[in-house]
Amino acid sequence: MTTAPGGRRSRPYAGTGGRIQAPSTGLTIDTQITVSGTYTEQPLSEAHLSALRLCSESSRAVSELAGLLQLPVGVITVLIADLHHLRLVTLQSPADLSNIDNVSYGLITRVLNGLKAQYQEDTKGNRRAN
């Protein structure tokens, strides 16, 4: 639940008119949202405006918007689908990195060793703090 003006509590789905599933737009939790236009024809809900404000600062992922606005991902996907339908935002699917040929065994080994070293350093610091 969210707090509405005047201190009233409202359900997260109130901002979407009760809709819990976005029309087929291909939105996933890692889809990047970018503001692409301005809209003045019809007033938008506060949730729509909040999403637009956040996306105007920088591109945001659906999951990031859900966290920042403290709303379920289902609500965010409906809001973003509405904004996309109004041509206020553009959607960018994440890059498919599954077929990249320049990831070598050596690179993965260096990353793993770096992570292990960072973990050991972090655990040493935690032991000292306790």
Side-chain angles (χ1 to χ4, degrees), residues 64-80:
E64 184 181 9
L65 284 175
L68 290 170
L69 294 174
Q70 298 181 353
L71 291 171
V73 170
V75 171
I76 295 300
T77 57
V78 171
L79 295 173
I80 296 305

Side-chain angles (χ1 to χ4, degrees), residues 2-10:
T2 57
T3 304
R8 296 187 326 269
R9 305 275 288 165
S10 66

Side-chain angles (χ1 to χ4, degrees), residues 57-96:
E57 296 169 5
S58 65
S59 276
R60 306 278 183 168
V62 170
S63 57
E64 184 181 9
L65 284 175
L68 290 170
L69 294 174
Q70 298 181 353
L71 291 171
V73 170
V75 171
I76 295 300
T77 57
V78 171
L79 295 173
I80 296 305
D82 291 347
L83 296 172
H84 184 253
H85 176 76
L86 296 170
R87 299 174 194 243
L88 294 174
V89 296
T90 56
L91 310 177
Q92 173 93 31
S93 296
D96 180 9

Side-chain angles (χ1 to χ4, degrees), residues 1-86:
M1 284 204 225
T2 57
T3 304
R8 296 187 326 269
R9 305 275 288 165
S10 66
R11 302 251 179 232
Y13 296 96
T16 63
R19 295 172 293 147
I20 58 171
Q21 190 169 9
S24 179
T25 57
L27 278 169
T28 61
I29 62 170
D30 52 356
T31 299
Q32 293 290 312
I33 315 301
T34 306
V35 172
S36 62
T38 55
Y39 186 68
T40 57
E41 293 178 29
Q42 176 182 19
L44 296 170
S45 74
E46 186 56 40
H48 287 97
L49 293 172
S50 295
L52 275 174
R53 273 192 293 276
L54 287 170
C55 293
S56 67
E57 296 169 5
S58 65
S59 276
R60 306 278 183 168
V62 170
S63 57
E64 184 181 9
L65 284 175
L68 290 170
L69 294 174
Q70 298 181 353
L71 291 171
V73 170
V75 171
I76 295 300
T77 57
V78 171
L79 295 173
I80 296 305
D82 291 347
L83 296 172
H84 184 253
H85 176 76
L86 296 170

